[in-house]
Amino acid sequence: MLGRIVVVLALLLVSLPAAAVTVEKVTSAKGIEAWLVQDHSNPIIAMEIAFKGGAAHDPAAKSGLAGMMAALLDEGAGPYDSQAFQQILEDKVITLGFNAGRDSFAGHLKTLSENKDAAFDLFRLSLSQPRFDKEPVERIRGQLLAGLMRESQDPGAQASRRLFETAFAGHAYARSPRGAVETVKTIQVADLRALARAQLTRDRLVVAVVGDMTPDELARRLDEVFGALPATGTLGEISDVAAHAPAGLSLIPKDNPQTTALFVLPGLRRDDPQWYAAYVVNYILGGGGFASRLTEEVREKRGLAYSVTSYLSPLAHSGMIIGSVATEASRFGESVRLIRQEFRRMHDEGPTEKELADAKTYLNGSFPLSQDSTTAIAALLVQMQVDKLGIDFLDRRAAMIEKVSMDDARHAAKRLLDADALSFVAVGRPVP
């Protein structure tokens, strides 16, 4: 038995070659669409889905609701209680789960082809007939509360909460998708059932499948798995908002020899015309690891910080540029000064010709290496649909990055990298 399990697990870890893939659009008889990449070289199927709209729709008094529902959908459905449901997953080596972000409610499934009937049926039941039995509801609630208590002592999590609370004060994005202790305690089974009816609807659904699946079979599976879901739901609208964290430092005192900090500026949404220029510029500034200016100036030259980075954080209704730094308390002030200096230098001068060329080479060359499994490709296909990038995006991506000119990069840097507007949230007791 153990030998069989090892063989099966090895199969599940087999990766697709990092080569060009062909993406097909499949439409079921009931009009449900999915994007498919066929790969019959291994008997594996990976499916990723997302329902647009996520934890941002949680009522303020019930924040954490979507996350709690996500944790419960594989804890019993249809005729199977939690134990029976989990036993089938284990016996048939099926991976199935859900998670809730601010803008979407996502799910994933991975199975061997020989177990696909059971796998797709469990996925169908979890979405259309979740049980929310008392025992798993209280067990999951306890786990979520324990996680929130641990999070309250974690400097990174504390900084993240404060950052969103200040950047989006008065907006749904200010609330953590994981909720708060006092709100998670109030969530009832009726709340979970109401959210399932409102959230898990066909009009919000995007699907991607990669692996041992033909278009004809996928069309049939789409109706089997998702056909019984409501056509539409009752989620409200989320308004667009600009991140507006005040410039300067917001400090969360904590007795710790290290200071952990996040910093933020307003960013851009994924559909912004300057996205690719900003993407390349950020790679040069702080997204490129040891190749970035921030790492070179703050860590490599002066040894001030253990890590320093920045990244673009697009949201459905806003966008941010977020950075992080972790350093000894006595070195925090100098680290902040250098971070501002590098933001200002990029804002005023832009990248060099060599930096721009090297960044484009790396971003295009490394991309195929990140798509090294059926699951990774399926997740990318879902994100492409959510972001409305087009089914031919993989064919166009390299050209869009290569097209970024020096003028494009300098314009994006001027627009986005205002060093004087940087807002820091620090956890610790930094020395001024």
Side-chain angles (χ1 to χ4, degrees), residues 263-338:
F263 46 95
V264 64
L265 284 174
L268 32 69
R269 291 173 20 170
R270 188 61 180 81
D271 59 356
D272 192 288
Q274 288 188 302
W275 173 265
Y276 292 99
Y279 183 53
V280 173
V281 167
N282 178 70
Y283 174 84
I284 299 166
L285 175 64
F290 286 99
S292 74
R293 287 186 180 184
L294 289 180
T295 296
E296 174 67 16
E297 295 298 326
V298 178
R299 173 180 164 135
E300 295 302 300
K301 285 185 178 178
R302 298 168 179 83
L304 292 174
Y306 311 112
S307 65
V308 57
T309 187
S310 66
Y311 59 92
L312 305 185
S313 178
L315 296 163
H317 303 283
S318 190
M320 295 187 291
I321 300 172
I322 299 177
S324 66
V325 62
T327 180
E328 291 183 13
S330 62
R331 298 180 169 185
F332 179 70
E334 178 66 1
S335 298
V336 169
R337 186 188 69 78
L338 286 167

Side-chain angles (χ1 to χ4, degrees), residues 118-172:
F120 281 112
D121 194 50
L122 289 178
F123 205 81
R124 174 186 67 84
L125 290 171
S126 64
L127 290 173
S128 59
Q129 299 179 41
R131 290 170 61 115
F132 302 128
D133 291 335
K134 181 177 179 180
E135 185 279 327
V137 165
E138 295 311 316
R139 173 165 47 82
I140 293 297
R141 190 196 309 277
Q143 293 173 4
L144 295 175
L145 292 173
L148 288 168
M149 294 301 292
R150 287 194 299 273
E151 185 178 296
S152 69
Q153 300 302 313
D154 180 85
Q158 289 178 286
S160 179
R161 277 188 180 261
R162 175 71 66 84
L163 183 147
F164 275 87
E165 288 169 357
T166 55
F168 297 111
H171 188 273

Side-chain angles (χ1 to χ4, degrees), residues 337-406:
R337 186 188 69 78
L338 286 167
I339 290 168
R340 292 189 189 280
Q341 170 188 295
E342 292 309 310
F343 268 71
R344 186 171 290 110
R345 183 159 72 97
M346 185 66 82
H347 174 274
D348 293 346
E349 303 171 9
T352 66
E353 293 283 359
K354 185 177 186 305
E355 286 176 326
L356 182 61
D358 288 349
K360 290 192 287 189
T361 298
Y362 178 84
L363 292 172
N364 277 335
S366 64
F367 180 70
L369 300 179
S370 68
Q371 309 308 313
D372 60 354
S373 70
T374 53
T375 298
I377 295 173
L380 174 62
L381 297 185
V382 163
Q383 197 60 50
M384 287 163 53
Q385 293 176 78
V386 170
D387 291 337
K388 300 179 180 177
L389 300 180
I391 200 168
D392 61 343
F393 169 74
L394 296 178
D395 298 327
R396 295 183 289 106
R397 179 185 180 278
M400 289 188 286
I401 289 175
E402 192 59 41
K403 189 179 176 183
V404 174
S405 68
M406 182 58 75

Side-chain angles (χ1 to χ4, degrees), residues 175-232:
R175 301 192 293 271
S176 168
R178 291 177 293 283
V181 169
E182 59 273 20
T183 60
V184 170
K185 285 181 177 178
T186 70
I187 295 171
Q188 303 298 315
V189 169
D191 301 320
L192 296 164
R193 296 195 185 285
L195 178 61
R197 289 192 298 271
Q199 171 82 69
L200 307 179
T201 59
R202 299 202 304 269
D203 61 327
R204 294 179 176 274
L205 175 67
V206 296
V207 183
V209 174
V210 177
D212 187 20
M213 177 74 68
T214 66
D216 288 344
E217 181 179 2
L218 178 55
R220 178 170 58 82
R221 296 285 183 184
L222 290 173
D223 283 347
E224 289 176 356
V225 175
F226 306 110
L229 295 177
T232 61

Side-chain angles (χ1 to χ4, degrees), residues 6-84:
V6 171
V7 170
V8 170
L9 289 175
L11 282 172
L12 286 173
L13 292 172
V14 169
S15 298
L16 278 177
V21 297
T22 300
V23 186
E24 303 171 74
K25 185 168 78 172
V26 175
T27 304
S28 75
K30 292 184 177 180
I32 302 170
E33 291 186 359
W35 287 5
L36 169 67
V37 172
Q38 297 188 62
D39 175 23
H40 302 286
S41 60
N42 293 298
I44 303 169
I45 301 166
M47 180 170 71
E48 297 279 331
I49 69 165
F51 295 92
K52 298 173 187 174
H57 291 271
D58 287 351
K62 304 279 185 182
S63 66
L65 176 59
M68 188 168 179
M69 184 176 77
L72 282 162
L73 290 186
D74 65 350
E75 291 284 348
Y80 308 114
D81 64 13
S82 176
Q83 185 174 2

Side-chain angles (χ1 to χ4, degrees), residues 409-429:
R410 287 173 175 163
H411 188 63
K414 286 281 187 189
R415 171 187 169 189
L416 296 168
L417 304 180
D418 181 357
D420 294 329
L422 274 168
S423 176
F424 287 80
V425 176
V427 181
R429 295 194 183 278

